[in-house]
């Protein structure tokens, strides 16, 4: 049997891998600008964490978790999303008391046993942001603005921001009955899993991948209490001030159980059926329900794989070496290796193939490398203590410089 990667899991080869790195770098810059600090949480947690936080009526927990019993007999799960781990870490490390501002970001791989298709993988990368301890609409507007800036900084364009409010527990208590009555009247249109879960969580049906789109169009709408309506309209005012464009869509419900109040998604029609680039919202009750202090919170996560799909036609970050070192004679290998070391020590990216190969083969590798200059040491150069500098991308005079001057000479030419 030949070894191969699992369905839904994939290798990220260059130059796609460079695309991921550039997205992550853009995100780190934006997070620094907004006062977010990195929080790294484990990939595997107690299964119960996700059952409680993500919610036992979600597709993620019901069908998609990689969960198993470990050697110690504990029920554990590989994280399907980042928010539960961040909330657990916040509570366990008492970050409400000891942390700086409650703003955390993470970059990491998540795992969901979904049916693989374009833009949907079983292992995928998320960049996420969570702000814990700020209940005001300023936090909503700030985090959505930051998300839009991150997409811009990474080079992703053509997306739309969709916004809704799911209200507080009080708003939803009244809505629950109305919606449940509607769903009971329409059980014939429900899929089997929804039939089994509407009594526990009727809103989940609106987000169901199978019957959700039809139901969400026609279902009765939630009406917000005055406090939630005020929060939602203030959030929109503040988004207008920061110049973020959005559309309110009252059928947006999101597929995780912890959401309250503001929820949002960023979508791109260029992605096809898996059009969500980002999802997020408030989860004002989660920290307390997980055993922590009463701390309102809001966050989001972007799918890096989907961002990379949107960037695919743009040129990947140039990471070719600046110089390529060539030994044109066997005896020149030692000097060539010392020069390679000196170039890198001077901060000039440099590469080589194998100083024991023929000049022709080394020059072929030099051309393929994308380097600007080949630095060649042959018998003559060895005697004279020099190096021949050849422009690779354009034709030009080959010149000779003293070997000791090569790093500064090349630096000068590269910045010219
Ligand atoms: P989510 O909507 O489940 O939210 O995922 C966020 C993003 O992750 C999606 O918009 C999508 O881009 C990406 N994503 C999800 N599943 C897959 C998949 N199978 N393959 C590729 N990309 C995928 C959350 O995970 C929440 N934790 C977001 C959040 C943070 N809410 C509050 N704080």
């Amino acid at each position: 049997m030949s070894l191969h990667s699992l369905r839904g899991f994939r290798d990220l080869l260059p130059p796609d891998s460079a695309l991921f790195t550039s997205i992550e770098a853009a995100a780190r810059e934006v997070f620094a600008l907004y006062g977010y600090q990195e929080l790294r949480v484990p990939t595997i947690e107690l299964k119960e964490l996700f059952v409680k936080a993500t919610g036992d009526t979600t597709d993620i927990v019901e069908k998609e978790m990689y969960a198993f019993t470990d050697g110690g007999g504990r029920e554990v799960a590989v994280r399907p999303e980042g928010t539960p781990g961040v909330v657990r870490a916040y509570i366990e490390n008492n970050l409400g008391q000891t942390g700086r501002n409650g703003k955390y970001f993470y970059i990491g791989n998540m795992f969901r046993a979904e049916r693989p298709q374009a833009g949907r993988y079983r292992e995928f990368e998320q960049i996420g942001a969570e702000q814990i301890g700020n209940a005001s609409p300023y936090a909503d507007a700030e985090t959505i603005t930051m998300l839009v800036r991150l997409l811009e900084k990474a080079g992703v364009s053509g997306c739309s921001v969709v916004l809704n409010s799911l209200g507080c527990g009080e708003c939803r208590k009244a809505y629950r009955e109305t919606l449940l009555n509607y769903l009971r009247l329409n059980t014939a249109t429900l899929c089997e899993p929804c039939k089994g879960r509407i009594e526990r969580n009727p809103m989940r049906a609106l987000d169901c991948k199978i019957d959700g789109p039809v139901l969400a169009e026609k279902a009765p709408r939630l009406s917000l209490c005055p406090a939630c309506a005020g929060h939602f309209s203030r959030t929109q005012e503040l988004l207008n001030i920061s110049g973020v464009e959005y559309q309110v869509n009252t059928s947006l419900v999101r597929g995780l159980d912890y959401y309250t109040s503001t929820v949002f998604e960023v979508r791109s029609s260029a992605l096809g059926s898996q059009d969500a680039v980002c999802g997020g919202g408030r989860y004002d009750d989660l920290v307390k329900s997980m055993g922590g202090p009463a701390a309102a919170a809001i966050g989001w996560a972007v799918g890096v794989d989907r961002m990379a799909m949107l960037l695919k036609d743009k040129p990947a970050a140039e990471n070719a070496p600046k110089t390529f070192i060539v030994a044109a004679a066997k005896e020149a290998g030692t000097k060539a290796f010392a020069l390679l070391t000196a170039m890198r020590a001077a901060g000039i990216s440099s590469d080589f193939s194998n100083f024991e190969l023929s000049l022709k083969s080394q020059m072929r590798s030099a051309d393929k490398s994308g380097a600007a200059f080949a630095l060649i040491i042959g018998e003559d150069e060895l005697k004279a203590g020099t190096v021949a500098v050849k422009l690779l991308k354009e034709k030009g005079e080959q010149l000779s410089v003293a070997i000791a001057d090569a790093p500064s000479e090349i630096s000068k030419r590269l910045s010219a």
Side-chain angles (χ1 to χ4, degrees):
M1 188 193 77
S2 69
L3 293 174
H4 55 80
S5 62
L6 294 169
R7 202 165 112 80
F9 292 75
R10 60 188 185 138
D11 302 312
L12 267 181
L13 306 177
D16 286 356
S17 50
L19 220 47
F20 276 60
T21 311
S22 77
I23 293 169
E24 292 160 8
R28 286 179 186 280
E29 263 186 61
V30 173
F31 287 135
L33 210 54
Y34 283 76
Y36 275 70
Q37 291 175 292
E38 185 170 13
L39 179 54
R40 296 188 186 212
V41 294
T43 311
I44 295 181
E45 300 260 10
L46 285 174
K47 180 181 169 188
E48 195 190 346
L49 172 69
F50 303 107
V51 174
K52 273 192 173 162
T54 310
D56 58 0
T57 60
T58 59
D59 280 352
I60 295 177
V61 168
E62 280 191 334
K63 299 191 279 202
E64 298 167 359
M65 271 211 295
Y66 285 95
F68 57 95
T69 310
D70 76 359
R74 286 167 290 261
E75 291 292 312
V76 299
V78 189
R79 62 180 179 195
E81 56 142 343
T83 312
V86 170
V87 170
R88 182 207 41 73
Y90 180 87
I91 299 168
E92 189 173 335
N93 298 287
N94 195 21
L95 293 179
Q97 294 297 316
T98 58
R100 191 174 80 186
N101 58 9
K103 294 179 177 180
Y104 303 99
F105 78 86
Y106 50 89
I107 299 177
N109 288 12
M110 307 295 154
F111 302 81
R112 297 181 192 174
E114 296 188 76
R115 198 171 52 76
Q117 63 181 82
R120 194 206 271 161
Y121 307 98
R122 292 182 166 172
E123 177 177 16
F124 57 96
E125 183 176 317
Q126 279 189 347
I127 296 178
E130 314 288 353
Q131 179 173 7
I132 304 178
N134 187 342
S136 85
Y138 291 102
D140 304 41
E142 184 199 34
T143 201
I144 296 170
T145 305
M146 175 170 77
L147 162 63
V148 171
R149 299 290 173 257
L150 187 156
L151 294 169
E152 284 167 2
K153 182 96 201 163
V156 172
S157 55
C159 293
S160 54
V161 178
V162 184
L163 202 62
N164 191 20
S165 173
L166 301 180
C168 60
E170 285 307 305
C171 312
R172 279 200 307 279
K173 210 188 278 172
Y175 180 58
R176 195 191 133 86
E177 283 314 306
T178 320
L179 180 62
L180 204 48
N181 286 337
Y182 170 81
L183 294 173
R184 282 177 186 142
L185 287 174
N186 289 281
T187 35
T189 55
L190 298 179
C191 69
E192 283 310 311
C194 279
K195 279 180 190 157
R197 65 189 170 192
I198 54 165
E199 300 293 329
R200 285 180 293 149
N201 188 349
M203 278 174 79
R204 190 56 45 246
L206 302 181
D207 189 64
C208 172
K209 289 178 188 120
I210 305 160
D211 42 43
V214 181
L215 288 170
E217 281 289 305
K218 299 190 185 141
R221 293 288 184 260
L222 180 143
S223 58
L224 298 175
C225 71
C228 288
H231 183 103
F232 193 42
S233 69
R234 182 70 180 137
T235 297
Q236 292 174 59
E237 270 170 32
L238 294 168
L239 285 174
N240 295 339
I241 288 171
S242 55
V244 169
E245 285 180 29
Y246 58 87
Q247 291 147 11
V248 174
N249 181 340
T250 52
S251 52
L252 175 68
V253 287
R254 303 273 304 132
L256 300 104
D257 279 356
Y258 46 65
Y259 290 115
T260 54
S261 184
T262 312
V263 286
F264 48 92
E265 275 184 8
V266 175
R267 296 174 183 161
S268 166
S269 54
L271 285 174
S273 67
Q274 300 303 308
D275 66 348
V277 181
C278 177
R282 279 206 160 272
Y283 46 98
D284 289 344
D285 304 331
L286 183 64
V287 180
K288 187 147 192 258
S289 76
M290 301 293 291
I298 185 165
W300 48 256
V302 288
V304 182
D305 302 75
R306 294 187 190 171
M307 284 178 74
M309 283 167 79
L310 294 171
L311 291 173
K312 208 140 187 163
D313 296 332
K314 309 212 167 153
E318 180 73 75
N319 62 357
K322 300 283 187 256
T323 74
F324 199 95
I325 318 293
V326 172
K330 264 239 160 87
E331 318 77 79
T334 308
K335 273 268 183 281
F337 191 69
L339 175 62
L340 177 70
T341 311
M343 295 302 286
R344 288 171 173 166
I348 303 165
S349 60
S350 301
D351 205 359
F352 76 118
S353 60
N354 178 348
F355 296 136
E356 291 172 357
L357 295 179
S358 69
L359 172 63
K360 200 168 157 198
S361 152
Q362 290 182 60
M363 286 309 293
R364 219 181 297 128
S365 301
D367 283 327
K368 221 164 110 178
S369 75
F373 299 98
L375 306 187
I376 307 160
I377 305 179
E379 277 175 23
D380 292 348
E381 286 79 15
L382 263 187
K383 278 188 211 134
T386 58
V387 53
V389 178
K390 187 175 187 305
L391 261 181
L392 284 172
K393 287 185 185 159
E394 341 154 11
K395 291 220 163 15
E397 283 286 292
Q398 185 165 308
L399 52 110
S400 174
V401 300
I403 206 162
D405 297 340
S408 60
E409 197 55 41
I410 294 294
S411 277
K412 248 187 266 162
R413 282 169 193 277
L414 284 171
S415 53

